[in-house]
Structure formats: C-alpha cells, structure tokens
Short mmCIF file of all heavy atoms in Angstrom, two decimals:
data_model
loop_
_atom_site.label_atom_id
_atom_site.label_comp_id
_atom_site.label_asym_id
_atom_site.label_seq_id
_atom_site.Cartn_x
_atom_site.Cartn_y
_atom_site.Cartn_z
N MET A 1 0.82 -1.20 0.00
CA MET A 1 0.00 0.00 0.00
C MET A 1 0.86 1.26 0.00
O MET A 1 0.52 2.23 -0.63
CB MET A 1 -0.94 -0.03 1.20
CG MET A 1 -1.89 1.15 1.28
SD MET A 1 -2.90 1.49 -0.16
CE MET A 1 -4.12 0.25 -0.06
N LEU A 2 2.00 1.20 0.72
CA LEU A 2 2.83 2.41 0.80
C LEU A 2 3.39 2.82 -0.55
O LEU A 2 3.57 4.01 -0.81
CB LEU A 2 3.97 2.22 1.81
CG LEU A 2 3.53 2.24 3.28
CD1 LEU A 2 4.71 1.96 4.18
CD2 LEU A 2 2.88 3.55 3.64
N ASP A 3 3.64 1.86 -1.44
CA ASP A 3 4.09 2.23 -2.79
C ASP A 3 3.03 3.07 -3.48
O ASP A 3 3.35 4.03 -4.18
CB ASP A 3 4.39 0.99 -3.62
CG ASP A 3 5.65 0.28 -3.16
OD1 ASP A 3 6.50 0.94 -2.52
OD2 ASP A 3 5.79 -0.92 -3.42
N LYS A 4 1.77 2.71 -3.28
CA LYS A 4 0.68 3.50 -3.87
C LYS A 4 0.58 4.87 -3.20
O LYS A 4 0.22 5.85 -3.85
CB LYS A 4 -0.64 2.76 -3.76
CG LYS A 4 -0.79 1.66 -4.76
CD LYS A 4 -2.21 1.13 -4.76
CE LYS A 4 -2.40 0.11 -5.86
NZ LYS A 4 -3.78 -0.35 -5.94
N VAL A 5 0.89 4.94 -1.92
CA VAL A 5 0.86 6.24 -1.22
C VAL A 5 1.88 7.18 -1.85
O VAL A 5 1.60 8.36 -2.06
CB VAL A 5 1.10 6.06 0.29
CG1 VAL A 5 1.33 7.41 0.98
CG2 VAL A 5 -0.09 5.35 0.94
N TYR A 6 3.08 6.66 -2.15
CA TYR A 6 4.09 7.50 -2.78
C TYR A 6 3.60 8.00 -4.15
O TYR A 6 3.75 9.18 -4.48
CB TYR A 6 5.41 6.75 -2.96
CG TYR A 6 6.02 6.26 -1.67
CD1 TYR A 6 6.48 4.97 -1.55
CD2 TYR A 6 6.14 7.10 -0.57
CE1 TYR A 6 7.05 4.52 -0.37
CE2 TYR A 6 6.70 6.66 0.61
CZ TYR A 6 7.15 5.36 0.71
OH TYR A 6 7.71 4.92 1.87
N ALA A 7 3.00 7.12 -4.91
CA ALA A 7 2.45 7.51 -6.22
C ALA A 7 1.32 8.51 -6.04
O ALA A 7 1.18 9.45 -6.82
CB ALA A 7 1.98 6.28 -6.99
N TYR A 8 0.52 8.32 -5.00
CA TYR A 8 -0.58 9.25 -4.70
C TYR A 8 -0.03 10.64 -4.39
O TYR A 8 -0.52 11.64 -4.91
CB TYR A 8 -1.38 8.71 -3.51
CG TYR A 8 -2.47 9.60 -3.00
CD1 TYR A 8 -3.66 9.76 -3.72
CD2 TYR A 8 -2.35 10.28 -1.80
CE1 TYR A 8 -4.68 10.57 -3.25
CE2 TYR A 8 -3.36 11.09 -1.32
CZ TYR A 8 -4.52 11.23 -2.04
OH TYR A 8 -5.53 12.04 -1.57
N LEU A 9 1.01 10.70 -3.57
CA LEU A 9 1.63 11.98 -3.24
C LEU A 9 2.17 12.69 -4.47
O LEU A 9 2.16 13.91 -4.55
CB LEU A 9 2.79 11.77 -2.25
CG LEU A 9 2.42 11.67 -0.78
CD1 LEU A 9 3.60 11.17 0.02
CD2 LEU A 9 1.92 12.98 -0.25
N ASP A 10 2.66 11.91 -5.41
CA ASP A 10 3.25 12.48 -6.62
C ASP A 10 2.21 12.77 -7.70
O ASP A 10 2.55 13.23 -8.78
CB ASP A 10 4.32 11.54 -7.18
CG ASP A 10 5.53 11.44 -6.27
OD1 ASP A 10 5.75 12.37 -5.48
OD2 ASP A 10 6.25 10.43 -6.35
N GLY A 11 0.93 12.48 -7.41
CA GLY A 11 -0.13 12.74 -8.38
C GLY A 11 -0.07 11.82 -9.58
O GLY A 11 -0.46 12.21 -10.68
N GLU A 12 0.39 10.58 -9.36
CA GLU A 12 0.59 9.64 -10.47
C GLU A 12 -0.50 8.58 -10.57
O GLU A 12 -0.37 7.65 -11.35
CB GLU A 12 1.95 8.95 -10.30
CG GLU A 12 3.12 9.91 -10.35
CD GLU A 12 4.45 9.26 -10.01
OE1 GLU A 12 4.45 8.11 -9.53
OE2 GLU A 12 5.48 9.91 -10.22
N LEU A 13 -1.57 8.69 -9.79
CA LEU A 13 -2.61 7.67 -9.79
C LEU A 13 -3.87 8.14 -10.50
O LEU A 13 -4.16 9.33 -10.55
CB LEU A 13 -2.98 7.29 -8.35
CG LEU A 13 -1.90 6.62 -7.51
CD1 LEU A 13 -2.44 6.34 -6.11
CD2 LEU A 13 -1.42 5.34 -8.16
N GLU A 14 -4.61 7.17 -11.01
CA GLU A 14 -5.94 7.43 -11.58
C GLU A 14 -6.89 7.81 -10.44
O GLU A 14 -6.66 7.46 -9.28
CB GLU A 14 -6.46 6.18 -12.29
CG GLU A 14 -5.59 5.68 -13.42
CD GLU A 14 -5.66 6.57 -14.64
OE1 GLU A 14 -6.74 7.14 -14.88
OE2 GLU A 14 -4.64 6.69 -15.34
N GLU A 15 -7.99 8.47 -10.78
CA GLU A 15 -8.93 8.93 -9.76
C GLU A 15 -9.46 7.78 -8.90
O GLU A 15 -9.58 7.91 -7.68
CB GLU A 15 -10.10 9.69 -10.39
CG GLU A 15 -11.09 10.23 -9.36
CD GLU A 15 -10.48 11.17 -8.32
OE1 GLU A 15 -9.51 11.89 -8.63
OE2 GLU A 15 -10.96 11.16 -7.17
N GLY A 16 -9.76 6.64 -9.50
CA GLY A 16 -10.26 5.50 -8.74
C GLY A 16 -9.26 5.02 -7.70
O GLY A 16 -9.63 4.69 -6.57
N ASP A 17 -7.99 5.00 -8.09
CA ASP A 17 -6.94 4.62 -7.13
C ASP A 17 -6.79 5.66 -6.03
O ASP A 17 -6.52 5.32 -4.88
CB ASP A 17 -5.60 4.42 -7.85
CG ASP A 17 -5.59 3.19 -8.74
OD1 ASP A 17 -6.28 2.21 -8.39
OD2 ASP A 17 -4.89 3.21 -9.76
N CYS A 18 -6.98 6.92 -6.38
CA CYS A 18 -6.90 7.99 -5.37
C CYS A 18 -7.98 7.81 -4.32
O CYS A 18 -7.74 7.98 -3.12
CB CYS A 18 -7.03 9.37 -6.03
SG CYS A 18 -5.59 9.85 -7.01
N VAL A 19 -9.17 7.46 -4.77
CA VAL A 19 -10.28 7.22 -3.84
C VAL A 19 -9.92 6.06 -2.91
O VAL A 19 -10.11 6.14 -1.69
CB VAL A 19 -11.59 6.95 -4.59
CG1 VAL A 19 -12.68 6.46 -3.65
CG2 VAL A 19 -12.05 8.20 -5.33
N ASP A 20 -9.38 4.99 -3.48
CA ASP A 20 -8.98 3.83 -2.67
C ASP A 20 -7.94 4.22 -1.62
O ASP A 20 -8.02 3.79 -0.47
CB ASP A 20 -8.41 2.72 -3.56
CG ASP A 20 -9.45 2.09 -4.46
OD1 ASP A 20 -10.67 2.26 -4.20
OD2 ASP A 20 -9.05 1.42 -5.43
N ILE A 21 -6.97 5.04 -2.01
CA ILE A 21 -5.93 5.47 -1.08
C ILE A 21 -6.54 6.32 0.03
O ILE A 21 -6.23 6.12 1.21
CB ILE A 21 -4.82 6.27 -1.80
CG1 ILE A 21 -4.03 5.37 -2.73
CG2 ILE A 21 -3.90 6.98 -0.82
CD1 ILE A 21 -3.17 4.35 -2.03
N ARG A 22 -7.42 7.26 -0.31
CA ARG A 22 -8.03 8.11 0.71
C ARG A 22 -8.84 7.28 1.70
O ARG A 22 -8.78 7.51 2.91
CB ARG A 22 -8.89 9.20 0.06
CG ARG A 22 -8.06 10.29 -0.60
CD ARG A 22 -8.90 11.48 -1.03
NE ARG A 22 -9.76 11.20 -2.15
CZ ARG A 22 -9.46 11.42 -3.42
NH1 ARG A 22 -8.28 11.92 -3.73
NH2 ARG A 22 -10.31 11.15 -4.38
N VAL A 23 -9.58 6.30 1.21
CA VAL A 23 -10.36 5.42 2.10
C VAL A 23 -9.41 4.64 3.00
O VAL A 23 -9.62 4.55 4.21
CB VAL A 23 -11.25 4.46 1.27
CG1 VAL A 23 -11.82 3.35 2.14
CG2 VAL A 23 -12.37 5.23 0.59
N HIS A 24 -8.35 4.10 2.43
CA HIS A 24 -7.39 3.34 3.23
C HIS A 24 -6.75 4.23 4.29
O HIS A 24 -6.60 3.81 5.45
CB HIS A 24 -6.32 2.71 2.34
CG HIS A 24 -5.34 1.89 3.11
ND1 HIS A 24 -5.60 0.60 3.50
CD2 HIS A 24 -4.11 2.20 3.60
CE1 HIS A 24 -4.57 0.14 4.19
NE2 HIS A 24 -3.65 1.09 4.25
N LEU A 25 -6.34 5.43 3.93
CA LEU A 25 -5.71 6.32 4.89
C LEU A 25 -6.65 6.69 6.03
O LEU A 25 -6.22 6.86 7.17
CB LEU A 25 -5.20 7.59 4.20
CG LEU A 25 -4.02 7.39 3.26
CD1 LEU A 25 -3.71 8.70 2.53
CD2 LEU A 25 -2.79 6.88 3.99
N ASP A 26 -7.95 6.79 5.73
CA ASP A 26 -8.94 7.07 6.78
C ASP A 26 -9.04 5.93 7.78
O ASP A 26 -9.39 6.14 8.94
CB ASP A 26 -10.32 7.32 6.16
CG ASP A 26 -10.43 8.67 5.48
OD1 ASP A 26 -9.58 9.54 5.74
OD2 ASP A 26 -11.36 8.84 4.67
N GLU A 27 -8.72 4.72 7.34
CA GLU A 27 -8.90 3.55 8.18
C GLU A 27 -7.61 2.99 8.77
O GLU A 27 -7.66 2.16 9.67
CB GLU A 27 -9.59 2.44 7.36
CG GLU A 27 -10.96 2.83 6.87
CD GLU A 27 -11.55 1.84 5.89
OE1 GLU A 27 -10.84 0.89 5.48
OE2 GLU A 27 -12.72 2.01 5.53
N CYS A 28 -6.46 3.40 8.27
CA CYS A 28 -5.19 2.77 8.66
C CYS A 28 -4.25 3.82 9.26
O CYS A 28 -3.62 4.60 8.54
CB CYS A 28 -4.55 2.10 7.45
SG CYS A 28 -2.98 1.28 7.83
N GLY A 29 -4.15 3.81 10.59
CA GLY A 29 -3.31 4.77 11.29
C GLY A 29 -1.85 4.75 10.87
O GLY A 29 -1.25 5.81 10.62
N PRO A 30 -1.21 3.56 10.79
CA PRO A 30 0.21 3.53 10.40
C PRO A 30 0.45 4.12 9.00
O PRO A 30 1.42 4.85 8.79
CB PRO A 30 0.57 2.04 10.44
CG PRO A 30 -0.38 1.46 11.44
CD PRO A 30 -1.66 2.23 11.24
N CYS A 31 -0.41 3.80 8.06
CA CYS A 31 -0.24 4.36 6.70
C CYS A 31 -0.48 5.86 6.71
O CYS A 31 0.20 6.61 6.01
CB CYS A 31 -1.18 3.67 5.71
SG CYS A 31 -0.62 2.03 5.21
N LEU A 32 -1.44 6.31 7.51
CA LEU A 32 -1.71 7.75 7.59
C LEU A 32 -0.50 8.48 8.15
O LEU A 32 -0.11 9.54 7.65
CB LEU A 32 -2.94 8.03 8.44
CG LEU A 32 -3.33 9.49 8.59
CD1 LEU A 32 -3.61 10.13 7.22
CD2 LEU A 32 -4.53 9.64 9.50
N GLN A 33 0.15 7.91 9.17
CA GLN A 33 1.35 8.53 9.73
C GLN A 33 2.46 8.59 8.68
O GLN A 33 3.14 9.61 8.54
CB GLN A 33 1.83 7.76 10.95
CG GLN A 33 0.97 7.95 12.16
CD GLN A 33 1.45 7.13 13.34
OE1 GLN A 33 2.01 6.05 13.17
NE2 GLN A 33 1.24 7.64 14.53
N GLU A 34 2.64 7.51 7.94
CA GLU A 34 3.66 7.48 6.89
C GLU A 34 3.34 8.51 5.81
O GLU A 34 4.22 9.23 5.34
CB GLU A 34 3.75 6.08 6.28
CG GLU A 34 4.84 5.92 5.26
CD GLU A 34 6.22 5.91 5.86
OE1 GLU A 34 6.39 5.58 7.04
OE2 GLU A 34 7.17 6.22 5.11
N TYR A 35 2.06 8.59 5.44
CA TYR A 35 1.63 9.56 4.43
C TYR A 35 1.93 10.98 4.92
O TYR A 35 2.48 11.79 4.17
CB TYR A 35 0.14 9.39 4.15
CG TYR A 35 -0.46 10.53 3.38
CD1 TYR A 35 -0.28 10.64 2.00
CD2 TYR A 35 -1.19 11.52 4.02
CE1 TYR A 35 -0.83 11.69 1.29
CE2 TYR A 35 -1.75 12.57 3.31
CZ TYR A 35 -1.56 12.65 1.95
OH TYR A 35 -2.10 13.70 1.25
N ASP A 36 1.57 11.27 6.17
CA ASP A 36 1.80 12.62 6.70
C ASP A 36 3.29 12.96 6.71
O ASP A 36 3.67 14.06 6.35
CB ASP A 36 1.22 12.74 8.11
CG ASP A 36 -0.29 12.80 8.13
OD1 ASP A 36 -0.90 13.13 7.08
OD2 ASP A 36 -0.88 12.52 9.19
N LEU A 37 4.12 12.01 7.12
CA LEU A 37 5.57 12.23 7.13
C LEU A 37 6.08 12.48 5.72
O LEU A 37 6.83 13.43 5.47
CB LEU A 37 6.28 11.03 7.75
CG LEU A 37 7.81 11.07 7.72
CD1 LEU A 37 8.34 12.25 8.51
CD2 LEU A 37 8.37 9.76 8.25
N ASP A 38 5.67 11.63 4.78
CA ASP A 38 6.13 11.78 3.40
C ASP A 38 5.65 13.10 2.80
O ASP A 38 6.37 13.75 2.05
CB ASP A 38 5.65 10.61 2.55
CG ASP A 38 6.33 9.31 2.91
OD1 ASP A 38 7.40 9.36 3.56
OD2 ASP A 38 5.80 8.25 2.56
N LYS A 39 4.44 13.50 3.15
CA LYS A 39 3.88 14.76 2.64
C LYS A 39 4.71 15.95 3.13
O LYS A 39 5.05 16.84 2.36
CB LYS A 39 2.43 14.90 3.08
CG LYS A 39 1.74 16.11 2.54
CD LYS A 39 0.28 16.12 2.98
CE LYS A 39 -0.42 17.37 2.54
NZ LYS A 39 -1.80 17.44 3.04
N VAL A 40 5.07 15.93 4.41
CA VAL A 40 5.88 17.01 4.98
C VAL A 40 7.26 17.05 4.33
O VAL A 40 7.76 18.11 3.97
CB VAL A 40 5.99 16.86 6.51
CG1 VAL A 40 7.04 17.79 7.09
CG2 VAL A 40 4.64 17.13 7.17
N ILE A 41 7.87 15.89 4.17
CA ILE A 41 9.19 15.82 3.53
C ILE A 41 9.12 16.36 2.11
O ILE A 41 9.97 17.15 1.69
CB ILE A 41 9.75 14.39 3.56
CG1 ILE A 41 10.10 14.00 4.99
CG2 ILE A 41 10.97 14.25 2.64
CD1 ILE A 41 10.43 12.54 5.17
N LYS A 42 8.11 15.94 1.38
CA LYS A 42 7.94 16.40 0.00
C LYS A 42 7.77 17.93 -0.05
O LYS A 42 8.34 18.59 -0.91
CB LYS A 42 6.75 15.69 -0.64
CG LYS A 42 6.62 15.95 -2.11
CD LYS A 42 5.53 15.06 -2.68
CE LYS A 42 5.37 15.22 -4.15
NZ LYS A 42 6.39 14.54 -4.92
N GLN A 43 7.00 18.49 0.89
CA GLN A 43 6.80 19.93 0.93
C GLN A 43 8.11 20.66 1.25
O GLN A 43 8.41 21.70 0.66
CB GLN A 43 5.72 20.28 1.95
CG GLN A 43 4.33 19.89 1.52
CD GLN A 43 3.31 20.04 2.62
OE1 GLN A 43 3.64 20.10 3.81
NE2 GLN A 43 2.04 20.08 2.24
N LEU A 44 8.89 20.11 2.19
CA LEU A 44 10.17 20.74 2.54
C LEU A 44 11.14 20.72 1.36
O LEU A 44 11.82 21.71 1.09
CB LEU A 44 10.80 20.03 3.74
CG LEU A 44 10.20 20.33 5.10
CD1 LEU A 44 10.77 19.41 6.16
CD2 LEU A 44 10.43 21.78 5.47
N VAL A 45 11.20 19.59 0.70
CA VAL A 45 12.09 19.48 -0.46
C VAL A 45 11.65 20.47 -1.54
O VAL A 45 12.49 21.17 -2.13
CB VAL A 45 12.13 18.03 -1.01
CG1 VAL A 45 12.82 17.97 -2.35
CG2 VAL A 45 12.82 17.12 0.00
N ALA A 46 10.36 20.54 -1.80
CA ALA A 46 9.85 21.47 -2.82
C ALA A 46 10.16 22.92 -2.45
O ALA A 46 10.53 23.72 -3.31
CB ALA A 46 8.36 21.27 -3.02
N LYS A 47 10.04 23.24 -1.18
CA LYS A 47 10.27 24.61 -0.72
C LYS A 47 11.73 25.01 -0.83
O LYS A 47 12.06 26.11 -1.25
CB LYS A 47 9.80 24.75 0.73
CG LYS A 47 10.00 26.13 1.31
CD LYS A 47 9.49 26.20 2.73
CE LYS A 47 9.73 27.57 3.33
NZ LYS A 47 9.31 27.64 4.72
N HIS A 48 12.62 24.08 -0.47
CA HIS A 48 14.03 24.44 -0.39
C HIS A 48 14.85 24.02 -1.62
O HIS A 48 15.94 24.52 -1.82
CB HIS A 48 14.65 23.84 0.87
CG HIS A 48 14.06 24.40 2.12
ND1 HIS A 48 14.34 25.66 2.58
CD2 HIS A 48 13.17 23.88 3.00
CE1 HIS A 48 13.67 25.91 3.68
NE2 HIS A 48 12.94 24.84 3.96
N CYS A 49 14.33 23.12 -2.40
CA CYS A 49 15.10 22.61 -3.54
C CYS A 49 14.29 22.63 -4.84
O CYS A 49 14.66 21.98 -5.80
CB CYS A 49 15.55 21.17 -3.28
SG CYS A 49 16.47 20.95 -1.76
N GLY A 50 13.19 23.34 -4.83
CA GLY A 50 12.27 23.31 -5.97
C GLY A 50 12.87 23.81 -7.27
O GLY A 50 12.43 23.42 -8.34
N CYS A 51 13.89 24.63 -7.19
CA CYS A 51 14.46 25.19 -8.41
C CYS A 51 15.66 24.40 -8.93
O CYS A 51 16.08 24.59 -10.05
CB CYS A 51 14.89 26.64 -8.16
SG CYS A 51 13.51 27.71 -7.72
N ASP A 52 16.20 23.55 -8.08
CA ASP A 52 17.38 22.79 -8.47
C ASP A 52 16.97 21.57 -9.29
O ASP A 52 16.02 20.88 -8.94
CB ASP A 52 18.16 22.31 -7.24
CG ASP A 52 18.65 23.47 -6.39
OD1 ASP A 52 18.83 24.58 -6.94
OD2 ASP A 52 18.87 23.27 -5.19
N PRO A 53 17.69 21.26 -10.36
CA PRO A 53 17.39 20.03 -11.11
C PRO A 53 17.75 18.81 -10.27
O PRO A 53 18.74 18.81 -9.54
CB PRO A 53 18.27 20.14 -12.35
CG PRO A 53 19.35 21.10 -11.98
CD PRO A 53 18.78 22.02 -10.93
N LEU A 54 16.91 17.78 -10.35
CA LEU A 54 17.13 16.56 -9.58
C LEU A 54 17.74 15.48 -10.45
O LEU A 54 17.36 15.32 -11.61
CB LEU A 54 15.80 16.06 -9.01
CG LEU A 54 15.07 17.01 -8.07
CD1 LEU A 54 13.73 16.43 -7.66
CD2 LEU A 54 15.92 17.28 -6.85
N PRO A 55 18.65 14.70 -9.87
CA PRO A 55 19.17 13.55 -10.62
C PRO A 55 18.03 12.57 -10.92
O PRO A 55 17.13 12.38 -10.10
CB PRO A 55 20.18 12.92 -9.66
CG PRO A 55 20.42 13.92 -8.58
CD PRO A 55 19.24 14.83 -8.56
N GLY A 56 18.08 11.93 -12.06
CA GLY A 56 17.01 11.02 -12.47
C GLY A 56 16.82 9.84 -11.56
O GLY A 56 15.71 9.32 -11.41
N ASP A 57 17.89 9.40 -10.89
CA ASP A 57 17.79 8.22 -10.04
C ASP A 57 17.59 8.55 -8.56
O ASP A 57 17.64 7.67 -7.71
CB ASP A 57 19.03 7.35 -10.20
CG ASP A 57 20.31 8.06 -9.76
OD1 ASP A 57 20.31 9.30 -9.63
OD2 ASP A 57 21.31 7.36 -9.54
N LEU A 58 17.31 9.81 -8.24
CA LEU A 58 17.16 10.22 -6.85
C LEU A 58 16.04 9.46 -6.15
O LEU A 58 16.21 8.96 -5.05
CB LEU A 58 16.93 11.73 -6.74
CG LEU A 58 16.70 12.25 -5.32
CD1 LEU A 58 17.95 12.02 -4.47
CD2 LEU A 58 16.34 13.72 -5.35
N ARG A 59 14.88 9.37 -6.78
CA ARG A 59 13.73 8.72 -6.15
C ARG A 59 14.06 7.26 -5.80
O ARG A 59 13.80 6.82 -4.68
CB ARG A 59 12.51 8.77 -7.06
CG ARG A 59 11.30 8.07 -6.47
CD ARG A 59 10.13 8.05 -7.46
NE ARG A 59 9.09 7.20 -6.98
CZ ARG A 59 7.90 7.61 -6.59
NH1 ARG A 59 7.60 8.88 -6.63
NH2 ARG A 59 7.00 6.76 -6.17
N SER A 60 14.66 6.54 -6.72
CA SER A 60 14.98 5.14 -6.45
C SER A 60 16.02 5.02 -5.33
O SER A 60 15.93 4.11 -4.51
CB SER A 60 15.45 4.43 -7.71
OG SER A 60 16.63 5.02 -8.20
N LYS A 61 16.97 5.93 -5.27
CA LYS A 61 17.96 5.90 -4.20
C LYS A 61 17.32 6.18 -2.84
O LYS A 61 17.63 5.52 -1.85
CB LYS A 61 19.07 6.93 -4.46
CG LYS A 61 20.03 6.54 -5.54
CD LYS A 61 21.11 7.59 -5.70
CE LYS A 61 22.12 7.21 -6.75
NZ LYS A 61 23.17 8.22 -6.90
N VAL A 62 16.44 7.15 -2.79
CA VAL A 62 15.76 7.49 -1.54
C VAL A 62 14.89 6.33 -1.08
O VAL A 62 14.91 5.93 0.09
CB VAL A 62 14.94 8.79 -1.68
CG1 VAL A 62 14.03 9.00 -0.48
CG2 VAL A 62 15.86 9.98 -1.87
N LEU A 63 14.11 5.75 -1.99
CA LEU A 63 13.25 4.63 -1.63
C LEU A 63 14.07 3.42 -1.20
O LEU A 63 13.69 2.71 -0.24
CB LEU A 63 12.33 4.27 -2.80
CG LEU A 63 11.26 5.30 -3.13
CD1 LEU A 63 10.48 4.87 -4.36
CD2 LEU A 63 10.34 5.53 -1.96
N ALA A 64 15.20 3.18 -1.84
CA ALA A 64 16.06 2.07 -1.43
C ALA A 64 16.62 2.31 -0.03
O ALA A 64 16.67 1.38 0.78
CB ALA A 64 17.20 1.90 -2.44
N ARG A 65 16.99 3.52 0.25
CA ARG A 65 17.52 3.84 1.59
C ARG A 65 16.44 3.70 2.65
O ARG A 65 16.69 3.17 3.74
CB ARG A 65 18.11 5.25 1.60
CG ARG A 65 18.69 5.65 2.92
CD ARG A 65 19.91 4.81 3.27
NE ARG A 65 20.43 5.24 4.54
CZ ARG A 65 20.74 4.42 5.53
NH1 ARG A 65 20.67 3.13 5.39
NH2 ARG A 65 21.18 4.90 6.67
N ILE A 66 15.24 4.15 2.36
CA ILE A 66 14.12 4.00 3.30
C ILE A 66 13.86 2.52 3.56
O ILE A 66 13.67 2.11 4.71
CB ILE A 66 12.85 4.70 2.77
CG1 ILE A 66 13.03 6.22 2.83
CG2 ILE A 66 11.61 4.28 3.56
CD1 ILE A 66 11.95 7.00 2.10
N ALA A 67 13.85 1.72 2.51
CA ALA A 67 13.64 0.28 2.67
C ALA A 67 14.74 -0.34 3.53
O ALA A 67 14.46 -1.20 4.38
CB ALA A 67 13.58 -0.40 1.30
N GLN A 68 15.98 0.10 3.34
CA GLN A 68 17.09 -0.44 4.13
C GLN A 68 16.93 -0.08 5.59
O GLN A 68 17.13 -0.90 6.48
CB GLN A 68 18.42 0.07 3.59
CG GLN A 68 19.60 -0.48 4.36
CD GLN A 68 20.93 0.00 3.80
OE1 GLN A 68 20.98 0.71 2.80
NE2 GLN A 68 22.00 -0.38 4.45
N VAL A 69 16.57 1.17 5.87
CA VAL A 69 16.39 1.61 7.26
C VAL A 69 15.25 0.83 7.91
O VAL A 69 15.37 0.38 9.06
CB VAL A 69 16.13 3.13 7.32
CG1 VAL A 69 15.66 3.56 8.70
CG2 VAL A 69 17.41 3.89 6.92
N ARG A 70 14.16 0.64 7.19
CA ARG A 70 13.04 -0.14 7.72
C ARG A 70 13.47 -1.57 8.03
O ARG A 70 13.11 -2.12 9.06
CB ARG A 70 11.88 -0.15 6.74
CG ARG A 70 11.11 1.12 6.72
CD ARG A 70 9.90 0.98 5.82
NE ARG A 70 9.15 2.22 5.81
CZ ARG A 70 8.46 2.65 4.80
NH1 ARG A 70 8.38 1.96 3.69
NH2 ARG A 70 7.78 3.79 4.88
N ALA A 71 14.25 -2.16 7.14
CA ALA A 71 14.73 -3.53 7.35
C ALA A 71 15.64 -3.59 8.57
O ALA A 71 15.55 -4.51 9.38
CB ALA A 71 15.45 -4.04 6.11
N ASP A 72 16.51 -2.60 8.70
CA ASP A 72 17.41 -2.55 9.86
C ASP A 72 16.63 -2.41 11.16
O ASP A 72 16.98 -3.01 12.18
CB ASP A 72 18.42 -1.40 9.74
CG ASP A 72 19.43 -1.62 8.62
OD1 ASP A 72 19.54 -2.75 8.12
OD2 ASP A 72 20.09 -0.63 8.24
N LEU A 73 15.57 -1.60 11.14
CA LEU A 73 14.76 -1.39 12.33
C LEU A 73 13.95 -2.62 12.72
O LEU A 73 13.67 -2.83 13.90
CB LEU A 73 13.82 -0.20 12.13
CG LEU A 73 14.49 1.17 12.06
CD1 LEU A 73 13.47 2.24 11.73
CD2 LEU A 73 15.21 1.50 13.37
N SER A 74 13.58 -3.42 11.74
CA SER A 74 12.77 -4.60 12.02
C SER A 74 13.62 -5.79 12.49
O SER A 74 13.08 -6.78 12.96
CB SER A 74 11.94 -5.00 10.81
OG SER A 74 12.78 -5.45 9.76
N ASP A 75 14.94 -5.69 12.35
CA ASP A 75 15.82 -6.79 12.80
C ASP A 75 15.94 -6.84 14.29
O ASP A 75 15.74 -6.09 15.07
CB ASP A 75 17.23 -6.64 12.20
CG ASP A 75 17.23 -6.96 10.72
OD1 ASP A 75 16.30 -7.64 10.26
OD2 ASP A 75 18.17 -6.52 10.04
#
C-alpha cells in the first residue's frame, strides 16, 4: 500500500486509485502517519530545492535507503 501512497503523493494515480488510497488512509493509522511524514518531507524538499534540477535516479535511491532503514529497524 505504501508504494501507492508515494504515487498518490506524486499525483501519479488514476482517480479511482486515489479514492482507494483516501479510504485506506482514513482507516489505517500507520499508513496515515507514513503519508503525513512523506507529505511534509515532500513539501520541505519542494520549498528548499524546488528550483534545483534533480538527478534522475534520486527517487529510487531514496526509496532504497528508506527500505534499508526499515529492514534494519525490524531486525
């Protein structure tokens, strides 16, 4: 579900999927917390780095690092 949340934040989902995400976020506290955190991070990056060009592989690197941290925390 979190992969869809990232796509939702980026405006990459169809309207039907957006509705599904909003319903899920209303019902799932952990996903809502993750969504809120990701939303704040995205806003901060846009505010402070919005004019700088981003490397094409930045998103995949960030997501890989998040996955690694989550895996380390679950060990």
Side-chain angles (χ1 to χ4, degrees):
M1 182 54 76
L2 287 177
D3 289 338
K4 283 190 175 183
V5 169
Y6 300 133
Y8 175 74
L9 277 168
D10 293 337
E12 298 173 349
L13 295 179
E14 301 287 327
E15 182 58 32
D17 290 328
C18 289
V19 170
D20 292 343
I21 292 291
R22 287 190 290 266
V23 168
H24 182 81
L25 291 174
D26 286 343
E27 298 171 354
C28 181
C31 283
L32 181 59
Q33 287 178 329
E34 184 72 23
Y35 167 78
D36 287 340
L37 175 62
D38 291 341
K39 184 177 176 184
V40 168
I41 291 170
K42 188 172 182 78
Q43 289 171 341
L44 284 172
V45 169
K47 180 179 178 183
H48 296 286
C49 305
C51 298
D52 299 335
L54 300 176
D57 62 343
L58 178 63
R59 178 184 171 113
S60 62
K61 285 182 179 180
V62 170
L63 291 176
R65 180 67 180 132
I66 289 170
Q68 181 179 357
V69 169
R70 284 185 179 149
D72 292 346
L73 291 175
S74 67
D75 288 340

